[in-house]
Each structure stands twice: as C-alpha cells, then as structure tokens.
Amino acid sequence: MDIARTPANPDGNPEMADAAHAPSEPSTIRREDYRPFAWIVPETRLEFDLGLESTRVTARLTVARNPKADPSPVIRLNGDGLTADSVLVDGEPSSAWAMDGDNLLLTLPGEAHEIAIATEIDPSSNSQLMGLYASNGMLCTQCEAEGFRRITFFPDRPDVLSTYTVRMRGAKAQFPVLLCNGNRVATGEDGEAHWAEWHDPWPKPSYLFALVAGDLVARTDRFATMSGRDVELNVYVRDGDLDRTEHAMESLKRSMKWDEEVFGREYDLDLFNIVAVSDFNMGAMENKGLNVFNTKYVLADPDTATDGDFDGIEGVIGHEYFHNWSGNRITCRDWFQLSLKEGFTVLRDQLFSADMGSEPVKRIEDVRVLRSVQFPEDSGPLAHPIRPDSYREINNFYTSTVYNKGAEVIRMMRTMAGEERFRKGTDLYFDRHDGEAATCEDFVTAIEDGAGLDLTQFRLWYAQAGTPKVSVSLDHQGDKATLRLKQVVPPTPGQPDKQPMPIPLKLALFDRESGTHAGEELVVLDTAEAAFAFDGFASKPVLSINRTFSAPVTIERSVEREELVFLAARDDDPFARYEAMQELTTGHLVAAATGELGETEREASVSDIAEALRAVLTDAALDDLMRGELMLLPGQTYIAEQMLVADPGRIHAEREALKAELGKQLRSELHALYERAEQVPYSLDLAARGARKVKTQVLVYAAASDPAKAVELAAHQYDRADNMTDRQGALMVLAGIDSAERTGRLLDFYNRYQGNALVIDKWFALQAMSLHPQALQHVKALGDHADFTLKNPNRVRSLYMAFAGNPHAFHAANGEGYRMVADLILALDPINPQTAARFVPPLGRWRRIEPVRAALMRAELERIAAAPKLSRDTHEQVSRSLG
C-alpha cells in the first residue's frame, strides 16, 4: 500500500488484531504476545448481493484446527459494526455463538467445519472509507489493515491465509462492471441483474481482498511474461478519464518487465486490473490482481499533470505491482512486520524509478522526503523502530519510519552485500517463504544466508528508533589521513539507552590541487568510536562522506566553508555535491537564525554560497534536472531539525533573506539560465523536464529578490504555458506575491479546470502552501469554498495538509494556524478518523519549537484530547504527542 504523500514544500523543496478497544483508552497490542491463530481457513467463498445502501454478504468459511497453534474449540471472528443475520455450522443453524464486543465467538466441537454467516451492510454510510463503501455511485473496498471485518465476520489478521472464490450480483444498469481478485471464471445475467464469479488460486490474507462494482471504462493492453504467460491488463476509470490513462498503462508494463529483469519475479495470474477511485484514504492498494488506486496516481496528461505527477504515477504503479511478490505472495505474519512488505517494496519502487529516469535526482528526492518527514518523526514523541514492539491503533503505524526508513535499512544491506549478492539473498527469501506469512527476521536471515553476511548486530536497525548522529573528523600527519568516527543513537520514547549499530559509509578523499580522488571506499562503523587510516596524502585531503546517502544518519562535523564550496563545485558523486550545497546553506541559516552570525561573517558566508551556486548555474557538464536540485535551498523543517529549539519565524525570515541576496548577486546567471531553458519545447524526456525545473527555480529566486520582475516573468510563463508543470510553477510563484496578476491567474486557473477534481486540488494546495503574508486567511476562506468538502481525503489534504506543511503560515505567532488544524481534526475525526489522525504530528513537534509557540501548540493538543468520543486513531496520536 502506498501511503498518501505530503505536498511538496512551496519552494520545490496475541491474536493481536482481536483485542477489544474502548475508543477513549485503546489497549496496547504487543509483538511478544503473538500466538498463531487456533484455526486455519483453507477456503473462503463469498456471495455479494450488491447495493449502494444495502449489500448482503454471505461468507462460507472452511475451517480446520491449526496443528501449529494451541488448541481451542472457540474461533474468534472479527467484526466492526456488523450484525449476524444467521450463523450456520455444517449447513445447520448454530446457537453456539456469542458476541464479544464487535467480535463473534463460535464454539466448534470437531476438527473441521464449514461456517456460513450472513450480514447486511450500508456502503453509502461508510464515511471512514474502510471496508465496502460507496464512491460517486460506485462500490469499492479498502481492507488494509482491518477493513475486511467491516464487510463480514472473519479472522481478520494477516497470518490467516485462504483461497477466495467470490460471486458478485448487482443491477446491470448501476454496476455494469463487476471486479474482484484473481481470474474471472464465470458470468451470467439474471433479469435486470447480472453476476460474475471470480477465483484467486493464491492464498491471501483478508486485508488483500478487493471488490469494485460500477460504471467504468477500461484501457486494455497485454503483457507476455518471461515464461510466455499472456496477461490481460486493464486500467478502469470513469467515462471521460480514459484519455488520461496511457501513462499509467505504460508504467505498469515497464514495472512488470523491470521486476522480471532485476528481481526475477514474474506475474502469476491471467489478469491484472487497476481501478481509479476518487474517494480513497491512501495512495493505492496492492490487492491481489485488483489494485485500487487513488485517481491522483492514475490520471495524467500534459495539460493536467506536472512532471512530478507523472513520476508519482510511475512510482506508485510500480510500488503496488511489486507488492505482488513482496507483500502478496509473501505477506506479513502480523502488523509489527509491516516494514517487511512496505520497506522492501519502497526500496524496489525507488530502484525502479531510478532506472526509468535520473538515478542521482531520484536518490536526492528520496533523501529529501526522508529528512523532511521521517527524521522529524524519529526525533519526536511518535518515534518508533521500523519493527515496533507495540501499538494501539495499527492505522497509525503506516508511517514514514516503516516505509522510508525501512527502505533505507534494506538499502544498507544491499550496499554492504553488493547488488549481485543481495539478489542471491532476495531470491532465497522468495524461494523459502513463498505462500507464507513471514517476519522481518525471515527476510534478514535470507539476506544473511544468500549474501554471506553476518547481520547479527545489524538487526538493531529493526529494534531501535532514532536517527543516529555520526561525528566526523579528519586528521592529517605526514602522508597519512586519519578519519575518526563516533556514533550516538539519541534517546527516544521508551528507549533511553541505545547500542551502536553498523553504519555503512561510502567516502572519497579528494586531492585539493587536482580535484580528483583515488576511488570510493566503503567503511562500516559498527562500534561507538573507530578510526580509519589512509596513506598517500602529501597534504590534507577534502573528505566526501556518506556518498549516495549510504546510511540514514546525520553527519556532524566541523568543516571549513571553503571545503564545502570545493565539494559543491567539484564532487563527482551527485548526491555528495548536493549535500555540500545543503550543508553550506544550512550552516549559514542555522547560525543566522540563532543570532550567531555577525555582519562581516554573514557577508562572507553569503558570498561563499553565491560562489558555489554560480558554479552550479554555469556548469555546462550538469544536466538541468540535477542543476535544479542543486539550486534548492534546504526546507524550513529540515533547518529547524538542526536546532534544539527552533523559532519558525526567524528561520523563515533568514531563508527569504538568503534567497533574496542570492537572487541579486546571481541575477545575470539566473536570467541567462531561464532564457536558455525557455527555448526547450515540451516533452517528457529528461532534458525537457530539467528545463522546466530550473525555470521554476529561477522564478523562486526572482520572487525573493525582485518581486516585480518575478510577477512579469511568472505571468508570461503562465499565459504561454502548454503544460501543467510550467503553468503550476508560475502560479506557485504568483500565489505568494500580492498583485493583480495573482488574482487574475488564480481565477483563470479555477475557471479553466473547474470540474477536474485533481487539478482543483492543486488550486487549493498552491494557495495553502504559498509564501503570501495572508496565506492563513486565504486558507480560512478556502475552507468555506463551495468546492471544499471534508468527505474527500484528497480535497482535505490538498488544503489543510498543504497548510500544515507551510511553516510560515502554520506557525503564525498568534497560534491561529495551530487552532485551525486542531479545529479540522475535531471536525474530521467523526467522519474519517484515519485521515484526521494524520494531522496530529505537525502539532506534536511542539517540544522543538520556541516556548511561546510551543505552549500554543500543546494547548491545542490538550483541547483535542479533551474532546468526547475521540477515535482510537486520533486518541493515540494525541496522547503520544502530549507524552
């Protein structure tokens, strides 16, 4: 499953599932309490009589005692808001059942039985968008993590695997398309109704069940697998959206081919369906053979989708397809193992996207997400290991730590093993555990055995939370350079003391005169402190460390600005070059925001940054995609993370001041770059994408240094744009400047795309993320706009998540931004608690903010906590944030 992604910075930058919970005080589920389920369910047959307001579900489960579990005559069938209309055992009505909260407990006397249970549900009233729900006249499901129990009574836990046969019946006029997991095996008509029967031969857990019924059209294609299987591919959308599905289909075919070539994984059904749904909590869901997607990650054409949207679609399509093996064929034993499927699959989609586009730019983008979202999570009250030991509400563990840090941990194993040996490890993992519900330990052991590594100590990465800090110093004496490293893993909630972890660091030592190095090396810091000696240096070299971001750590070192300028201009590792630029500007902004920079030092620092940036702007060997990355200033959230206590207002002011000064000093170089890039015609090739990227970055610098010129350029770019990337980039800049052009272009954008929900989402987000001094008031007004609704997660995120990610507006000194987000959480929680809970973490970072704002943030959390009938999702996030 792909979690919904946070909007970009405006500058471009037991029976563990069986515990009963009271909403106000959720019980704690612990990994150590895991026990295999007492019964296996080899076969599940489901019958659906479909209706928007009333759907009748009959479930027939073949069950048998589990020889690997403690014996019990009672089978616990999870439910959530369900009522059993009838319960039959072996074809006869049973009275040997009782309700335990939402769950149905049934006593079974023998070794094997067939259970039949009928329920009736109302999809139209399901605003949580979990289970079976209605979306604009269509029926669809979302079952991960615990949504299947909202459809029928079942042992709704990931280690209960079953083969599914499903018969769906519904009105032909209302539901002309009937889809489910697996292969369609039969169809028929029944008067004004019709039916379809589906069979999935591969055992799966209930969270991978999927059903869609509605009035849809499909783009159809075919794919021949490496063994010659002919697979029918369909991308289903609403009528009118079909012409925006070509990129999704091509991304799917590329994903299938790539997984065969790189991981040796072949698709295993005769049919692969994707359905785009406008009401969806997540990005997409990997249900076996029937992937359900948020429309955001399916629909694209040049007029309505940015380059980032095209990349996002390709990445998410790949992610969900790759789950067919890393998540479906091998699934999780329990939800504590979530990173087993998500961390591994994120790494796979990152490698795929890197191969499809620019590898260094993709790496930088992934690290930027990690630092802006996961690092703050790791240093705050919600910190947890990638394999947590306990949880209260599983929906709250679909986090950047599980996904993005989980991917980085597996990437480190790949770095230490090398690509060839890592492939041997993954092949062994797939061979050993195909058809099983596995654990993170199973995966690490397979890599260990296949790659010939000892990963005993490395397992600490799965158990310890927090971002390691690595102190670095380089000494030089005679012809020897000595690298001294020291690691500290900071305390996190529940883990005050940490052990050293293996940290693989790629490095190179540059000769200052020639600007070259003798080769990249890999060192592994696996103790609290270590020293590494390098011979053959007549003078002190320049250190380039953590190249390609080989470990998800924070590097702490005292380094001269001249060395950073050297690396920013000459490092041959693109990520290290980017890192030098970031380190150079971050050091300046932290010192400036904390009052540690005198005027003389400030001028010298800005001059050094300008020199490094000038080298970037004028380097003919650089492609524009990479140039655009090097032009980006570090985001305000990342800068704040470098301080013990941050003043968001001061950070914003200093960042804008630096941007303005760089814009002035480099005006001629920036405008020359813009004029060159403006001549590149639209296409999706890397050169054209790079040209569009640097154009927007030039506008960003102009907006800070010469707003009148920025308005002129941005309005011109908007008016002549033949693609959404240029149009949105121009409007982003205009949205932050108070001008008539701002008002006119925002109105034009709305009128041009009114009725296109995904593009109107952009319209909301651009205003919520803008640098306009009245951005907070604009968001308040947009909350009352006729096109705004709390019932659509995309629309909620487009306005309020974008706002929460806009530090200068969210951190308004009077606390109005905090109050707005708290009001949203309280209004949204009864409608969609899963989405509401995702707005808590921005308030939860109050400990790292200066005292006045911190008190205001904490007060809003306390107000939320005091609300009656708070959902489990939101309650857990708030209580942990308050500590």
Side-chain angles (χ1 to χ4, degrees), residues 85-212:
D85 293 344
S86 64
V87 179
L88 281 69
V89 176
D90 298 326
E92 298 295 331
S94 172
S95 60
W97 62 277
M99 296 300 295
D100 178 18
D102 275 339
N103 299 324
L104 189 152
L105 276 58
L106 177 62
T107 302
L108 300 173
E111 297 296 312
H113 300 276
E114 181 182 272
I115 303 169
I117 302 177
T119 58
E120 190 166 329
I121 53 180
D122 178 5
S124 67
S125 66
N126 184 358
S127 65
Q128 294 185 33
L129 310 184
M130 288 290 289
L132 178 67
Y133 65 93
S135 173
N136 295 322
M138 179 170 71
L139 290 174
C140 55
T141 57
Q142 169 57 32
C143 292
E144 188 176 355
E146 296 177 346
F148 192 74
R149 64 187 62 190
R150 295 170 60 82
I151 297 172
T152 188
F153 290 101
F154 195 83
D156 189 15
R157 39 186 288 166
D159 61 343
V160 177
L161 277 61
S162 184
T163 59
Y164 283 72
T165 301
V166 179
R167 183 183 176 92
M168 308 161 61
R169 180 182 180 277
K172 286 185 290 186
Q174 190 171 29
F175 307 120
V177 173
L178 302 173
L179 303 173
C180 198
N181 303 92
N183 295 319
R184 184 171 45 232
V185 295
T187 60
E189 297 194 4
D190 182 11
E192 294 184 354
H194 66 151
W195 58 269
E197 188 167 303
W198 294 76
H199 177 64
D200 184 355
W202 301 99
K204 63 175 178 285
S206 54
Y207 82 84
L208 289 172
F209 172 79
L211 173 157
V212 173

Side-chain angles (χ1 to χ4, degrees), residues 176-422:
V177 173
L178 302 173
L179 303 173
C180 198
N181 303 92
N183 295 319
R184 184 171 45 232
V185 295
T187 60
E189 297 194 4
D190 182 11
E192 294 184 354
H194 66 151
W195 58 269
E197 188 167 303
W198 294 76
H199 177 64
D200 184 355
W202 301 99
K204 63 175 178 285
S206 54
Y207 82 84
L208 289 172
F209 172 79
L211 173 157
V212 173
D215 189 358
L216 300 165
V217 294
R219 178 182 292 273
T220 300
D221 210 326
R222 309 199 77 82
F223 181 83
T225 70
M226 59 185 179
S227 70
R229 177 191 290 274
D230 182 53
V231 182
E232 179 184 326
L233 311 177
N234 293 295
V235 178
Y236 283 95
V237 295
R238 296 189 181 279
D239 191 19
D241 288 335
L242 201 58
D243 59 350
R244 293 193 284 157
T245 58
E246 180 180 4
H247 180 67
M249 180 63 80
E250 292 304 312
S251 297
L252 173 58
K253 291 191 292 184
R254 286 193 291 268
S255 302
M256 298 175 80
K257 182 176 176 58
W258 183 89
D259 209 18
E260 291 181 344
E261 294 174 346
V262 178
F263 280 92
R265 299 299 105 193
E266 181 178 3
Y267 189 61
D268 51 11
L269 291 170
D270 301 327
L271 191 62
F272 189 94
N273 289 323
I274 289 174
V275 179
V277 179
S278 57
D279 298 297
F280 205 66
N281 284 334
M282 299 293 182
M285 179 63 208
E286 71 266 18
N287 319 293
K288 183 74 176 183
L290 178 56
N291 286 188
V292 179
F293 272 67
N294 192 314
T295 51
K296 178 179 175 63
Y297 294 109
V298 172
L299 305 179
D301 62 18
D303 184 55
T304 60
T306 65
D307 295 338
D309 294 329
F310 278 98
D311 287 343
I313 289 168
E314 182 176 70
V316 175
I317 293 270
H319 181 96
E320 305 310 330
Y321 174 75
F322 301 145
H323 265 313
N324 187 62
W325 276 92
S326 51
N328 296 2
R329 286 284 287 263
I330 305 177
T331 192
C332 301
R333 185 196 73 176
D334 54 72
W335 291 122
F336 296 104
Q337 319 300 328
L338 183 58
S339 198
L340 172 74
K341 74 182 186 79
E342 296 299 350
F344 186 26
T345 305
V346 168
L347 174 64
R348 276 151 57 73
D349 83 52
Q350 290 176 349
L351 296 174
F352 165 67
S353 294
D355 284 349
M356 296 302 106
S358 168
E359 182 177 0
V361 169
K362 174 59 178 168
R363 187 64 186 133
I364 290 168
E365 290 172 348
D366 292 336
V367 173
R368 188 161 56 242
V369 170
L370 189 81
R371 284 173 164 171
S372 64
V373 182
Q374 197 280 321
F375 276 21
E377 189 170 88
D378 239 355
S379 65
L382 302 179
H384 59 276
I386 65 171
R387 185 198 57 203
D389 292 321
S390 66
Y391 66 79
R392 293 185 178 183
E393 172 50 61
I394 183 55
N395 287 330
N396 288 336
F397 274 94
Y398 285 79
T399 63
S400 183
T401 295
V402 166
Y403 281 68
N404 302 87
K405 186 176 180 178
E408 295 297 325
V409 169
I410 298 172
R411 187 186 287 266
M412 283 191 288
M413 286 189 264
R414 183 174 181 262
T415 296
M416 292 188 294
E419 292 182 24
E420 185 176 338
R421 290 196 298 158
F422 181 76

Side-chain angles (χ1 to χ4, degrees), residues 637-839:
T637 300
Y638 178 71
I639 297 164
E641 281 295 304
Q642 312 312 305
M643 307 177 185
L644 290 176
V645 177
D647 182 335
R650 186 76 180 269
I651 293 172
H652 175 70
E654 292 292 350
R655 189 172 181 273
E656 289 304 299
L658 175 60
K659 200 191 305 177
E661 187 59 35
L662 292 173
K664 291 175 183 175
Q665 291 195 26
L666 301 172
R667 179 179 284 108
S668 62
E669 291 88 349
L670 287 166
H671 283 269
L673 176 60
Y674 189 92
E675 289 174 5
R676 175 180 63 76
E678 198 175 24
Q679 305 307 310
V680 180
Y682 180 85
S683 79
L684 284 175
D685 66 30
L686 297 184
R689 290 156 65 100
R692 291 190 289 276
K693 188 174 187 176
V694 297
K695 282 164 60 179
T696 294
Q697 289 310 309
V698 171
L699 292 179
V700 166
Y701 281 101
S705 59
D706 188 352
K709 182 65 175 178
V711 167
E712 177 189 336
L713 283 174
H716 176 70
Q717 178 172 308
Y718 180 94
D719 291 343
R720 68 190 301 268
D722 61 356
N723 64 87
M724 179 54 75
T725 305
D726 278 346
R727 183 170 289 119
Q728 179 174 302
L731 190 59
M732 177 192 72
V733 170
L734 288 172
I737 303 173
D738 195 11
S739 66
E741 288 83 354
R742 173 190 189 276
T743 304
R745 297 326 186 272
L746 280 171
L747 181 60
D748 176 81
F749 191 89
Y750 178 82
N751 290 335
R752 182 187 298 252
Y753 296 108
Q754 189 175 11
N756 185 319
L758 292 178
V759 183
I760 295 303
D761 284 340
K762 298 176 187 295
W763 184 77
F764 277 96
L766 285 168
Q767 296 173 79
M769 291 190 296
S770 86
L771 296 178
H772 196 285
Q774 300 300 314
L776 192 151
Q777 284 70 31
H778 296 158
V779 172
K780 289 178 67 175
L782 288 167
D784 294 326
H785 194 279
D787 284 346
F788 183 78
T789 174
L790 288 177
K791 294 183 178 179
N792 181 268
N794 280 358
R795 188 55 47 86
V796 174
R797 287 189 289 261
S798 72
L799 181 60
Y800 288 105
M801 194 62 79
F803 171 76
N806 183 355
H808 96 94
F810 175 66
H811 289 290
N814 63 2
E816 194 172 359
Y818 312 143
R819 187 159 55 252
M820 184 188 299
V821 170
D823 287 344
L824 168 74
I825 292 169
L826 291 170
L828 188 59
D829 190 62
I831 300 170
N832 189 330
Q834 189 177 139
T835 300
R838 295 189 181 278
F839 284 90

